[in-house]
Amino acid sequence: MRLSRAAAGVLGTAAAVALPLIAAPAQAAAAAPAVQVVKVYYDSPGVDRRSNSSLNGEYVVIKNVTRTMRKIGGWIVHDETGYKYRFPAGTVIKGGKSITIRTGSGRSGTSTHYWGRKQYVWNNDADTATLRSNTGKLLDSCSYDSTRRDYVIC
């Protein structure tokens, strides 16, 4: 809960001092997910001809924003249509590190995974990248609605 200066003046000094007890900053920080969708490159460079290099120019990046390793095996990234990428069992993401999930084919490693698709996932005008746990719990999402750019930073 945020309080404007004008509202704080109206409530008076005693009420303004009591507000931190109602909405502590630690509560707001706890709401941020540990692993986040941080970028979606939804319109790969060049003409969309479904070549593997063009497909791999389309990707989503997730980042572990904590200092501790997270086990993400079984977690799912999906779009609004329902195309799903499931992280293989045993996949981990170290603290402060990112994993890029590219649409096409390639050899997956610790920082890049490949969806293995022959068609594009992310719509060039509007879509949502959603990250869910292995139990289906919504962890984070990033939406865009623009043809002015090729990517969105979340």
Side-chain angles (χ1 to χ4, degrees), residues 5 25 30 38 50 54 58 83 87 105 128 135:
R5 286 186 196 174
V38 295
R50 287 189 276 178
S54 179
E58 179 184 86
Y83 297 124
F87 286 97
S105 298
T128 300
T135 62

Side-chain angles (χ1 to χ4, degrees), residues 65-83:
V65 297
T66 72
R67 293 181 182 185
T68 58
M69 177 194 70
R70 302 288 177 178
K71 295 178 181 180
I72 62 170
W75 288 19
I76 295 171
V77 172
H78 67 86
D79 72 336
E80 289 180 350
T81 303
Y83 297 124

